[in-house]
Amino acid sequence: MDLLCEPYLLDPQPGSVTVVWHTAEPGTVNAVLAGVAVATLTDVSAAVDGRAPGVRVVRAETLPMARMRDDSPGGPHARPVHRQLAVVTDLPDARTPYRVVSISSTGDVALSGTHTLRGALPAGAPVRLLLTSDHQLGPMVPANLELAAETAGELDGVLFAGDMINVVDRAADWFDHENGRAFFAGFGGRASWTAAGRTFTGAPIISSAPLYPTIGNHEVIGRWSETETLDFQFHDAVPDDWDVSTYEAMFPVPASDTGGPRWWARTIGDVFVVSLFGTEIWRPERPGTRGTYGERTADRDAPERWGHGRFIFAPIGKGSPQYTFLVSALASEEARNAAYRVVMFHHPSHGLGFNSVPAYTDPVPVVTADEVRYEYPLADDYILRDLAPVFSAYYVNLVLNGHSHLWARFRDAAGVNWLETSNVGNTWGAYHKLSGESRIAPDGPDYVLQGDPGGLEPIVPTVAPLTTVDGTALPFVASHEITVFTLLDSAAGVVRSYRYDTANGGDVTLFDEFPL
């Protein structure tokens, strides 16, 4: 019996928190052991039977993860994975040590490390949150998480703006990928990556600090196949056939009445957070593909083979259920009473990355005698046109995005800060005059080849920006060697971003700080 990952915490409530872990076998006993005595526990059987002084036992419910698979030469094969979930209640205000245990039908025991848990912090309590996204098994993830944990000390939560893995139904991406950087390996201190003479393992951050996730495009998979690779299935989503059930089983909470775990709102101490399902299918930009801007010429008369451009998975514009939820959440007394308001979703309509173009809107198909192409009017960008005025009206302090694998931030005329902070060795570059790179897109005013399509100037880091060879400060970090992590410190009312040069080692550098 083995634990596929260290336990992770979700959705603390007053006096309670949800604990989740995963096993290959269903197990006959799966439980959380909580109390000051768990760190020195020697008799697991006695603890499970309730005979260990100072140890509480909370039994878990077991759920088979029906879509979990891995690739093999003959096509994907089913991989047995079981979710274990327990809600630990009646918690004191202070952190409580805990471990999880799973026991097989033959009596094999798997026991986690010792971590701590607690219920929700009181409303108004200051918090320290890690802000991140787009790990996707990137090379620098173990260093990023290990250094974030060392720098931050005790964290109160992780806001993750989507794209945890590459293929949501691939078990190896979550637990034990051959590259050593599976999602839960990094967040469990089980990863391995060596740079500049130091081996990084990540850190078990989410075993003691709750994870607050958001759906990115990599948490969605397309049409099921018994024969096609999982990578193929990931790309084979069409508007009426895509799936997020693995994500929903992994992260059933936080949840809302209207969106379940797809969109939700929570108060974390003195910070009010709204998470939205704001992402689209990814398609290549180049002509001649089943792509962003058109279909293959050979598929002109075969709509069953169309990809339908970069279609949006869940409506987010004015009048949609998400829009209604967002307005209601931000108008709530909880939101008004919070010191700070954060909205998190995956797509960066203000951004310097390749994924900020085209506009976040429904593709407009144009079918001619020779081709099928798609247009994306910039004026119809749902985030810029519909959501940004809501953020301004309800005094949102920070919009946290992901998707383009870089660090960049903006501040709009209403004082709303927009931030993408992801740099773990999988960047696609920054499209800015100082980088010299231009996006691949059609000609015309709807497609901004360099800079922010939303019209804002990126802000140069305030403390220690990177520079060009001639010393010009860069308003972004897009590097395969320099990793970035960001901490929201509500006690100080600031967001701080740090970088570390994995090629040369040295110290972690604070390079940007801004007030909320």
Side-chain angles (χ1 to χ4, degrees):
M1 188 76 178
D2 293 311
L3 304 184
L4 294 176
C5 63
E6 288 295 295
Y8 54 100
L9 303 182
L10 297 175
D11 200 27
Q13 298 294 311
S16 71
V17 68
T18 298
V19 183
V20 183
W21 68 102
H22 297 272
T23 58
E25 300 176 48
T28 55
V29 174
N30 299 284
V32 176
L33 309 177
V36 294
V38 298
T40 57
L41 187 65
T42 57
D43 190 340
V44 175
S45 296
V48 169
D49 292 340
R51 295 181 285 109
V55 177
R56 286 180 58 199
V57 181
V58 181
R59 299 286 178 147
E61 294 183 356
T62 301
L63 176 74
M65 303 283 290
R67 294 181 61 98
M68 278 293 185
R69 294 165 287 164
D70 276 326
D71 287 305
S72 57
H77 64 272
R79 171 104 180 253
V81 175
H82 292 81
R83 186 198 74 190
Q84 314 295 346
L85 183 151
V87 179
V88 183
T89 60
D90 301 318
L91 289 169
D93 293 337
R95 288 184 176 271
T96 299
Y98 81 99
R99 304 173 82 170
V100 302
V101 62
S102 290
I103 303 177
S104 73
S105 57
T106 58
D108 292 335
V109 176
L111 190 64
S112 76
T114 301
H115 310 289
T116 63
L117 49 73
R118 65 182 174 196
L121 290 168
V127 295
R128 184 170 294 179
L129 305 173
L130 174 62
L131 313 181
T132 189
S133 71
D134 297 271
H135 286 187
Q136 295 179 240
L137 290 75
M140 297 189 288
V141 168
N144 186 286
L145 294 176
E146 190 168 323
L147 295 167
E150 291 176 1
T151 303
E154 185 175 295
L155 284 163
D156 300 301
V158 177
L159 302 188
F160 202 108
D163 280 8
M164 303 175 186
I165 35 62
N166 288 319
V167 179
V168 69
D169 285 359
R170 183 187 287 140
D173 280 19
W174 292 105
F175 306 115
D176 49 15
H177 195 277
E178 62 184 6
N179 72 9
R181 302 187 298 270
F183 178 78
F184 288 118
F187 264 123
R190 297 178 169 194
S192 180
W193 184 68
T194 301
R198 176 175 172 179
T199 297
F200 295 94
T201 61
I205 295 173
I206 57 176
S207 296
S208 297
L211 176 64
Y212 295 89
T214 291
I215 299 176
N217 57 299
H218 283 269
E219 279 75 56
V220 186
I221 195 166
R223 291 178 282 195
W224 177 279
S225 172
E226 300 287 344
T227 56
E228 299 287 358
T229 67
L230 291 171
D231 281 325
F232 180 92
Q233 293 175 54
F234 163 69
H235 291 288
D236 196 35
V238 291
D240 61 351
D241 199 346
W242 49 268
D243 190 271
V244 292
S245 59
T246 293
Y247 173 91
E248 291 175 319
M250 284 246 181
F251 311 106
V253 288
S256 66
D257 291 340
T258 57
R262 301 183 186 192
W263 57 85
W264 49 264
R266 287 293 185 271
T267 297
I268 311 170
D270 60 356
V271 178
F272 184 80
V273 181
V274 181
S275 173
L276 300 175
F277 185 8
T279 192
E280 62 192 358
I281 187 69
W282 186 85
R283 301 286 188 218
E285 297 93 342
R286 295 189 181 280
T289 64
R290 185 191 190 209
T292 297
Y293 299 107
E295 303 293 349
R296 292 177 290 240
T297 302
D299 292 342
R300 159 65 179 77
D301 297 317
E304 71 278 5
R305 295 202 293 268
W306 292 2
H308 304 276
R310 287 200 186 182
F311 66 87
I312 293 170
F313 290 113
I316 205 170
K318 188 174 290 186
S320 69
Q322 284 201 85
Y323 180 91
T324 301
F325 174 80
L326 172 69
V327 173
S328 176
L330 291 176
S332 68
E333 185 176 357
E334 265 191 279
R336 294 197 307 271
N337 289 341
Y340 306 107
R341 285 152 295 281
V342 176
V343 179
M344 174 171 63
F345 51 90
H346 191 58
H347 185 84
S349 283
H350 284 303
L352 296 180
F354 71 115
N355 279 326
S356 290
V357 173
Y360 193 74
T361 190
D362 299 311
V364 178
V366 178
V367 182
T368 70
D370 302 317
E371 65 177 0
V372 177
R373 70 176 189 272
Y374 300 105
E375 298 176 350
Y376 303 81
L378 182 56
D380 293 338
D381 186 298
Y382 292 121
I383 294 168
L384 300 177
R385 187 191 70 189
D386 296 348
L387 301 193
V390 175
F391 303 154
S392 302
Y394 290 98
Y395 303 100
V396 169
N397 302 91
L398 175 66
V399 176
L400 177 63
N401 302 132
H403 201 28
S404 287
H405 306 186
L406 49 71
W407 181 96
R409 75 173 176 95
F410 306 84
R411 186 177 175 92
D412 66 24
V416 179
N417 299 289
W418 299 67
L419 174 68
E420 178 174 357
T421 175
S422 173
N423 212 83
V424 294
N426 56 2
T427 187
W428 297 100
Y431 296 85
H432 185 269
K433 59 187 178 183
L434 290 176
S435 72
E437 296 185 69
S438 296
R439 298 179 178 98
I440 299 170
D443 293 330
D446 288 326
Y447 309 101
V448 177
L449 302 187
Q450 288 186 338
D452 171 35
L456 300 180
E457 284 297 318
I459 295 174
V460 173
T462 57
V463 181
L466 297 173
T467 63
T468 63
V469 291
D470 65 1
T472 303
L474 293 170
F476 57 83
V477 180
S479 169
H480 292 292
E481 296 180 340
I482 297 172
T483 192
V484 170
F485 59 88
T486 298
L487 302 173
L488 187 159
D489 182 350
S490 72
V494 299
V495 174
R496 300 185 179 101
S497 292
Y498 300 82
R499 56 179 165 84
Y500 176 80
D501 186 340
T502 64
N504 298 301
D507 297 327
V508 170
T509 299
L510 171 67
F511 72 92
D512 184 64
E513 178 175 310
F514 67 91
L516 286 168

